[in-house]
Structures are given as structure tokens and as C-alpha cells.
Amino acid sequence: MAPPTTLKLTNRSPKQPIKKLPAAIHLPADATVEDVKKLIAKEAGFSDYNRIGLFYPSTRKTLKDRKALIAEDKEVADAGEVLVKDLGLQIAWRTVFVVEYLGPILIHIAAVAARPYLLKDPSMSPSQWLSFGMIVAHFFKRELETLFVHKFSANTMPARNIFKNSAHYWLLSGALCAWSIYYSPWSLAARADQPLVDAVGTVLYLFGEISNALVHLYLSSLRSAGGTERKIPQGYGFSLVTCPNYMYEVLAWVGIILASRDWSVALFILIGGVQMFVWAKGKERAYRKEFGDKYKKKRYVMLPGLA
């Protein structure tokens, strides 16, 4: 049996130290980053080990892979030390996503249901109904993927993030889009009478949503249950961009823009697209760093010829 490893522990934030942080802990040779968090949490009196953040002493960057073996991390092994920080109250990633996507569903349903009580003419145009169906179906699909498809490399995130993350969906794709499409006197969807535009939007939407779902199912198949390992993705769209799921997401929302003819929908996906671009750039950097020459570098990370 391999001898235990002694790991020195130092508070990363001296002004906000973990008061009961032990000076060091003894670990078996096969201890993972997650095991270290659990041991520290037990010694320091934390009921949730996910509150424990571990950082490299030299770069002060986080140890991201919770399943990685501490003994195989050269930087930690050479230093014999990690920095430790209390990350605060945590909430599960899956819970955050469920809450984020539930908002637009409830808001759009409520907005349509309230029309008979708020408007003299509660009837909606075919384009308004189409927009309603597209938006609600999109977020319902996201809820199903969150519950049954996605696998998360991290267990939790700081609980305070749920308010910031939810605001983007609840306020923009929820409240703003619902008002602009169903109630605004300038709503183009209310006056739309161009079935061809609706048809084109529907085709784009269905292609984007189905393709996005296929990519998500494929990415989920690359990771074991509860695992954090990554593999080089190939196939449907991956020869074009780093993150084809984002590409298909944008295409689906272009379909919604055509159906709704609405500026608020365009604003929502513009803001979301910028964030997806940042994530995709990070994903490309991570693939290049982890897989080196085995990975075929991509010039475009999200939209061929654009980004």
C-alpha cells in the first residue's frame, strides 16, 4: 500500500480565514481533489464540502477537476501545499438551471393567460401564437436536458449566482419579450400576415433545436456518470466550430426572431450570443491545452466565418 501524503493547508484569504483550518492533513496516495475537500470540511466543521475551494499556491488558480488525483498534480506535489478558501453557501448547478429556465416558461404562459383580463381584444395573431409556442418549447426542452441529459463537472456554484444568472432569462427572455410580443402597441407579431416568413422561421427553429439536442446528447455520452473526464468531440458540426451546440442555439433563436419580428428577442440572443462566444473561446483554449496535437484546432468557435 502506498504511504500517506501530508499536505500543508494555508488560508487563501487571510482577512477572511477558515478559523478551524488544520495546518496540514494526511492523505492516502489515491486521494482526489474531492477527497481533500471532504477531509478539510470535516476537520473545519463544514457540513457541505462543496464550500471548500482549493487553489494552487503559486498561480492561486483553482483546482478544477474534482476527480483528479492530488498525487499526480505536479504543482501541488512539488509545493506540498494548497491554498484553501470558504466559497460560501453553495447551490447545485442543476438546480440553478432548472430555476433559470422555469422563469420564461411561467412568465410567457401567465402573459398569454392574462390577456383576456387586460385587453379589450384578447385574440392573438398566428405569429404571436407561433412565437409563444417556440419560446415555451425551447425552455421546456432545456429543462428536460437539465434533468436528464447534462452532466456537470462541478457539483455546485455560489448560491448568490442564481439571482444574477436567472435575471438574464427571467427579465429578458421572460418579462421583456412577453411584453413586447403580446402587449406592446408596436408588436410586429400582432400585425404580421406573412405565412412564408413564419414557415421559414419554423424550419430554422426546428432544425436548430433538434440539432442542438443531438449535440447535447452526444456530449453527454462522452462523459461517464459522475465523471469529469473530457474527450475530443467529433461529428455533427464539430468539424466547423468548437461548440456547434451554440451555433444551433443561435439558429433556433433566429427562427424565433423571424416568427416574432421582435427587437426584444434579437436583444436577448445578442447578449446570450456574446456570452456563448466567450465560453466557446474558453472551450477551444481548454481543448488545445489538454489534447495538444491530437486536437484539430478550430478557427471559428461558434459561427463559421464570423466568430
Side-chain angles (χ1 to χ4, degrees):
M1 181 179 293
T5 299
T6 300
L7 189 64
K8 180 183 176 183
L9 306 178
T10 304
N11 274 298
R12 187 179 189 275
S13 302
K15 293 183 179 180
Q16 295 178 313
I18 298 176
K19 295 180 180 179
K20 295 182 180 180
L21 182 70
I25 53 173
H26 300 286
L27 304 170
D30 60 350
T32 64
V33 169
E34 192 167 60
D35 292 333
V36 174
K37 291 185 177 185
K38 290 178 179 179
L39 285 171
I40 294 174
K42 183 178 180 180
E43 293 288 332
F46 283 72
S47 59
D48 180 11
Y49 71 87
N50 290 299
R51 290 185 65 144
I52 302 297
L54 302 181
F55 303 83
Y56 292 106
S58 58
T59 63
R60 302 178 72 85
K61 292 183 178 180
T62 184
L63 278 71
K64 290 184 178 181
D65 188 352
R66 56 189 170 86
K67 295 295 184 180
L69 295 177
I70 282 290
E72 294 183 357
D73 191 307
K74 187 176 185 303
E75 186 174 345
V76 173
D78 289 345
E81 176 188 15
V82 291
L83 305 182
V84 187
K85 180 180 179 181
D86 177 7
L87 301 177
L89 184 65
Q90 299 289 296
I91 188 169
W93 275 85
R94 202 176 305 276
T95 300
V96 173
F97 283 175
V98 167
V99 172
E100 286 177 359
Y101 305 146
L102 183 61
I105 295 174
L106 297 179
I107 290 171
H108 279 265
I109 291 175
V112 170
R115 282 176 61 91
Y117 305 98
L118 300 176
L119 301 176
K120 291 182 179 180
D121 180 10
S123 62
M124 297 206 307
S125 72
S127 295
Q128 285 177 310
W129 278 115
L130 179 61
S131 303
F132 169 77
M134 285 178 166
I135 292 172
V136 171
H138 169 80
F139 286 108
F140 183 71
K141 165 185 164 292
R142 280 199 168 189
E143 293 283 35
L144 291 177
E145 290 174 335
T146 297
L147 294 173
F148 303 111
V149 177
H150 294 322
K151 295 173 182 175
F152 302 95
S153 58
N155 291 326
T156 63
M157 69 166 67
R160 62 182 179 275
N161 286 358
I162 194 171
F163 301 103
K164 176 187 67 177
N165 292 13
S166 296
H168 174 65
Y169 294 99
W170 285 60
L171 297 180
L172 290 182
S173 63
L176 180 62
C177 288
W179 171 82
S180 189
I181 295 170
Y182 314 126
Y183 288 93
S184 170
W186 304 284
S187 171
L188 296 178
R191 304 190 299 274
D193 187 19
Q194 296 172 306
L196 181 59
V197 175
D198 289 342
V200 172
T202 301
V203 170
L204 270 178
Y205 172 81
L206 291 175
F207 174 74
E209 292 288 356
I210 293 171
S211 298
N212 176 266
L214 290 174
V215 173
H216 283 165
L217 287 167
Y218 169 68
L219 289 173
S220 180
S221 73
L222 298 181
R223 176 174 290 170
S224 61
T228 59
E229 71 277 12
R230 285 193 295 195
K231 299 178 182 178
I232 299 175
Q234 299 174 341
Y236 196 57
F238 286 99
S239 61
L240 298 174
V241 294
T242 309
C243 297
N245 49 322
Y246 295 158
M247 174 177 68
Y248 296 131
E249 171 98 357
V250 171
L251 282 178
W253 278 98
V254 170
I256 301 175
I257 292 172
L258 289 176
S260 65
R261 287 85 160 168
D262 204 274
W263 65 271
S264 64
V265 179
L267 176 64
F268 168 73
I269 193 55
L270 176 62
I271 295 173
V274 171
Q275 180 62 73
M276 285 187 281
F277 175 73
V278 173
W279 289 334
K281 290 286 284 186
K283 184 75 72 174
E284 176 68 16
R285 287 193 297 269
Y287 283 145
R288 293 184 183 186
K289 180 179 180 180
E290 182 171 353
F291 299 110
D293 294 337
K294 294 180 180 179
Y295 175 70
K296 184 179 179 181
K297 298 178 181 179
K298 306 295 191 307
R299 180 179 179 185
Y300 301 106
V301 297
M302 190 174 77
L303 297 174
L306 295 176

